[in-house]
Amino acid sequence: MTTKASTSRPSYPQVVLQRGRDKNIRARHPWVFSGAIASVKGEPALGETVEVRSEHGDLLGMGAWSPQSQIQVRLWAVGRATIDRAFFAEKIQAALKQRQALGITARNTAYRVLNAESDSLPGVIVDKFGDWLIMQALTAGAEHWKQTLAELLMEQLPCKGVYERSDVDIRKKEGLSTTTGLLAGEMPPACIDILEEGRHYRVDVLNGHKTGFYLDQRDNRSAVEHYAHGKTVLNCFSYTGGFSIAALKGGASKAINIDASQTALDLAAQAAQLNGFTSEQMENIQGDVFQLLRQYRDEGRQFDLIILDPPKFAENKSQIEKAARGYKDINLLGFRLLKPNGLLFTFSCSGLMDSNLFQKIVADAAVDAGCDAQIIRKLDQASDHPTRLAFPEGYYLKGLICQK
């Protein structure tokens, strides 16, 4: 795993770690924090490849330099590697083979192609929607290599174009501005129709959330489809109605979407038409979820199946306590609106929210709602969003199916 420096090798800038700060890297964790660095030899540019070495000079890995970030190096490879076009071609090929082996590519026209650190490509997110690929370059290293990556993706995964959606604030922590635009091939249309496990959706890849659609919830939408037969369904924070389409596919009697965005709800209505459902089967309500759930509680309304898939409540550790209150409030309302034996699908997409803490919050909500609920299944992100064993931070989506 480690080698001594060799004068016959090409010369790279070197990041030398503090004494005793090499343990995580030797365990194949891909991040080097600023506090772990003793010195930098050379003057690496933003996103440039650097060697990471121990205090004794052992070569630990090759990574991308990001001086403005708390995470100043993100590893491309453990040990020595040549970080070039061929290196990235091999990484893309490996990721594609994994998705093919799981059967994802055969059943879906939309899936995650590259999942950042968990595919050994820190900061690189690529989602496929029909004939187009949507990329996010979230880190300095990803930014440095994004054009090469786009060209390689066009070669290895036949598509019409690669479009960038790096319009996320996290780039500012890397000293990068937000940006969008065509990287390769043809410009995608504003909306693309996709097929997911037999369900049709319309995705706004140019302006929708993140890359346009929450592909990580694919398996959980299938779970809703499995349990929805004959049920009235309330889909909170519905976005473009993904869970509601799944519920109706599973034979739900009616699905109600609540979301703050009318644009998202319009796409939900279009998705209903694509799947042959009527406006009587799917109702779309624009509004504040918390306010509407309190209104439904006061009116005595109840539902057979409720989905709570709120946006990320915690962006950093200082927001965990506030996030916990938000999850408690929304789950308390959810339990009160459930019929006896009803099902609550509740999620947290906050990576900083620990699974055990989330379960405790939901349990406390059930107690306050005066019910003794059971967990009948635990949920997480779809298999094309893998979590690298050495990178537990890649596990962010956690969910519970609770029965009242």
Side-chain angles (χ1 to χ4, degrees):
M1 177 178 167
T2 60
T3 60
K4 293 290 184 178
S6 172
T7 56
S8 63
R9 299 280 188 181
S11 178
Y12 293 95
Q14 296 181 7
V15 173
V16 181
L17 302 186
Q18 301 266 12
R19 175 190 237 176
R21 299 301 296 270
D22 57 347
K23 182 179 178 180
N24 286 348
I25 302 303
R26 292 182 188 277
R28 295 180 175 269
H29 193 282
W31 290 352
V32 178
F33 287 91
S34 58
I37 296 173
S39 64
V40 179
K41 298 178 180 180
E43 297 182 357
L46 184 69
E48 184 180 349
T49 300
V50 297
E51 295 178 350
V52 177
R53 292 185 175 271
S54 72
E55 60 171 319
H56 303 297
D58 295 334
L59 176 61
L60 303 174
M62 314 292 291
W65 177 242
S66 183
Q68 294 189 39
S69 173
Q70 279 191 315
I71 306 168
Q72 291 196 328
V73 181
R74 288 177 170 83
L75 291 190
W76 295 121
V78 174
R80 180 171 292 283
T82 302
I83 309 303
D84 57 9
R85 185 183 181 89
F87 172 86
F88 290 107
E90 184 178 335
K91 294 295 182 184
I92 292 171
Q93 186 178 50
L96 288 172
K97 285 182 177 179
Q98 185 219 22
R99 274 73 176 170
Q100 291 162 359
L102 292 171
I104 296 168
T105 60
R107 301 191 307 271
N108 302 278
T109 63
Y111 54 89
R112 176 146 295 184
V113 178
L114 299 175
N115 195 41
E117 278 85 348
S118 290
D119 280 314
S120 299
L121 291 171
V124 182
I125 297 290
V126 178
D127 289 337
K128 181 180 186 294
F129 296 104
D131 292 326
W132 277 269
L133 303 179
I134 309 300
M135 179 191 292
Q136 288 185 313
L138 305 179
T139 61
E143 174 71 16
H144 186 80
W145 288 100
K146 70 182 182 183
Q147 195 61 51
T148 298
L149 288 163
E151 294 166 2
L152 288 168
L153 286 162
M154 290 283 290
E155 293 173 9
Q156 295 202 32
L157 186 59
C159 60
K160 292 183 178 179
V162 181
Y163 185 81
E164 182 178 12
R165 283 291 308 276
S166 297
D167 47 351
V168 285
D169 288 341
I170 194 171
R171 279 173 57 96
K172 295 176 183 177
K173 296 180 180 179
E174 298 281 308
L176 305 170
S177 60
T178 58
T179 183
T180 61
L182 187 65
L183 292 174
E186 302 174 20
M187 185 77 178
C191 291
I192 297 173
D193 292 348
I194 64 168
L195 179 66
E196 175 193 270
E197 303 294 343
R199 303 179 291 264
H200 296 271
Y201 296 106
R202 182 157 289 168
V203 180
D204 181 353
V205 297
L206 299 184
N207 301 295
H209 294 176
K210 299 198 172 182
T211 61
F213 193 68
Y214 293 102
L215 294 171
D216 53 2
Q217 290 280 24
R218 179 192 304 107
D219 297 344
N220 303 328
R221 284 188 282 269
S222 293
V224 167
E225 182 174 344
H226 174 76
Y227 287 107
H229 185 75
K231 292 180 170 60
T232 55
V233 176
L234 181 64
N235 183 10
C236 304
F237 310 98
S238 65
Y239 188 43
T240 57
F243 282 111
S244 294
I245 294 297
L248 292 171
K249 279 282 187 179
S253 59
K254 183 167 184 176
I256 300 174
N257 293 319
I258 303 176
D259 199 86
S261 169
Q262 186 59 50
T263 301
L265 293 172
D266 290 344
L267 284 174
Q270 293 173 36
Q273 293 178 346
L274 288 173
N275 289 277
F277 301 127
T278 66
S279 56
E280 287 74 27
Q281 290 173 287
M282 181 190 285
E283 182 181 355
N284 296 310
I285 301 174
Q286 181 186 16
D288 180 275
V289 170
F290 287 89
Q291 291 179 5
L292 282 167
L293 293 193
R294 291 188 182 98
Q295 177 185 324
Y296 292 168
R297 176 201 61 195
D298 295 343
E299 293 171 352
R301 295 184 65 176
Q302 288 193 312
F303 303 86
D304 297 307
L305 192 156
I306 297 174
I307 299 137
L308 302 176
D309 185 24
K312 187 184 294 186
F313 283 168
E315 295 287 348
N316 54 61
K317 290 182 179 179
S318 67
Q319 296 176 348
I320 291 292
E321 186 176 341
K322 180 181 178 182
R325 290 196 298 270
Y327 287 122
K328 171 74 175 295
D329 191 10
I330 199 72
N331 281 280
L332 173 59
L333 289 166
F335 278 119
R336 285 180 171 164
L337 292 171
L338 267 186
K339 293 180 181 178
N341 296 314
L343 297 177
L344 178 69
F345 283 67
T346 182
F347 297 95
S348 168
C349 64
S350 301
L352 294 170
M353 176 59 63
D354 176 76
S355 297
N356 292 330
L357 176 58
F358 181 63
Q359 181 174 326
K360 184 181 184 304
I361 291 167
V362 176
D364 289 345
V367 170
D368 286 359
C371 62
D372 188 17
Q374 298 172 316
I375 297 171
I376 62 170
R377 186 172 165 186
K378 293 187 175 182
L379 306 170
D380 51 27
Q381 60 220 51
S383 55
D384 53 348
H385 294 63
T387 303
R388 188 174 168 187
L389 279 172
F391 184 67
E393 294 88 344
Y395 176 68
Y396 63 94
L397 180 62
K398 66 281 299 181
L400 303 170
I401 306 178
C402 299
Q403 187 169 30
K404 185 174 178 180

